Amino acid sequence: MACWYEGPLAAFDTETTGVDVETDRIVSAALVVQDAPGTRPRVVRWLVNPGVPVPAGATEVHGLTDDHLQRHGRWPAPVMYEVAEALAEQARVGRPLVVMNAPFDLTLLDRELRRHRASSLGRWLERAQLLVLDPWVLDKHLDRYRKGRRTLTDLCAHYGVALEGAHDAAADAVAALEVTRAVGRRFASRLERLSPGELHTLQAVWHAAQARGLQAWFARTGTEEVVDPAWPLRPDLPTAA
């Protein structure tokens, strides 16, 4: 039987108005499904009119302007429903979902569901657990002493994965999926016997340890930033917008 990194995988990514999961909004999202390495992936894209202005800094990153989103984007409520349904389907069929820096994208989706659907991501996943593979967490745990940044662009360069059209949700999702396969192959001796379910549980532990290490470093350098150890979804905050 093929190892998980040689089997079916899906990947999810978003582009947003900013980096605050409690207040920022999704402007585009993509789900990529690949049945086997080297096969053409199936891609579903969503474009969203967030109902709030898109900061110039965000537009510089992903290229989506207020005018474009108002003309071509859909209202958030039906989009968030479709996205949640699509992710729940991955959970129901047991297909692992790759999400780079999962606590950002999945928490932001959860907050959008609360905001526009009076629901939560957890409600969509009550019947089946989402098996998440986070290349950021995997790489940082398996190659923890490597120096340098670990953005998606950096990981693509390190693992020899092509990234065309960075900061497009579909392009980033495809790249994250390929990086995850590459991580699996490079560290096969440590990963091939683990199931996606076991890896999901382990990544929560690994991410918490990584967060504690980063928090300690912030304390030593006098940085007041707080690092959330929760993975792959941050708990709800009563003050969420």
Side-chain angles (χ1 to χ4, degrees):
M1 181 179 295
C3 300
W4 59 264
Y5 48 83
E6 301 293 358
L9 292 178
F12 176 67
D13 189 71
T14 66
E15 297 300 330
T16 69
T17 60
V19 297
D20 188 332
V21 296
E22 303 299 338
T23 59
D24 280 306
R25 311 297 175 91
I26 293 173
V27 296
S28 71
L31 177 68
V32 172
V33 178
Q34 188 182 49
D35 294 324
T39 61
R40 185 172 183 176
R42 302 185 297 278
V43 180
V44 181
R45 296 178 173 87
W46 294 271
L47 192 65
V48 187
N49 179 352
V52 300
V54 180
T59 297
E60 289 178 5
V61 172
H62 50 58
L64 297 172
T65 64
D66 280 328
D67 181 67
H68 181 79
L69 293 171
Q70 289 168 11
R71 288 174 178 270
H72 304 287
R74 297 167 57 202
W75 290 114
V79 171
M80 300 312 150
Y81 176 89
E82 291 174 13
V83 172
E85 278 289 302
L87 298 195
E89 175 62 17
Q90 305 312 306
R92 285 192 290 269
V93 301
R95 185 181 294 116
L97 182 72
V98 173
V99 190
M100 174 76 180
N101 189 17
F104 177 79
D105 294 85
L106 296 184
T107 303
L108 192 56
L109 173 60
D110 175 79
R111 303 312 190 249
E112 289 279 54
L113 288 166
R114 295 171 186 270
R115 184 178 292 119
H116 298 291
R117 304 292 310 188
S119 185
S120 68
L121 184 57
R123 291 183 185 178
W124 256 271
L125 301 174
E126 287 176 342
R127 296 185 179 181
Q129 180 188 13
L130 196 62
L131 303 176
V132 179
L133 298 170
D134 189 334
W136 189 85
V137 174
L138 291 171
D139 172 75
K140 195 170 184 180
H141 176 78
L142 294 163
D143 198 1
R144 66 183 68 184
Y145 300 113
R146 188 178 82 249
K147 295 182 179 179
R149 289 158 50 88
R150 298 181 193 241
T151 66
L152 180 58
T153 300
D154 298 318
L155 294 186
C156 285
H158 181 71
Y159 287 99
V161 171
L163 174 56
E164 299 179 2
H167 300 298
D168 169 82
D172 286 355
V174 169
L177 187 152
E178 293 298 340
V179 165
T180 301
R181 292 197 190 279
V183 171
R185 293 172 186 133
R186 183 166 299 186
F187 297 97
S189 63
R190 299 167 65 181
L191 295 177
E192 62 185 356
R193 296 184 181 180
L194 296 172
S195 70
E198 291 169 327
L199 265 178
H200 180 99
T201 300
L202 286 169
Q203 284 170 102
V205 176
W206 296 344
H207 180 271
Q210 292 162 6
R212 289 193 298 271
L214 183 57
Q215 193 71 73
W217 185 81
F218 282 156
R220 291 194 299 270
T221 58
T223 303
E224 295 182 358
E225 184 175 348
V226 176
V227 184
D228 195 322
W231 183 95
L233 181 68
R234 297 176 187 171
D236 183 39
L237 297 178
T239 56

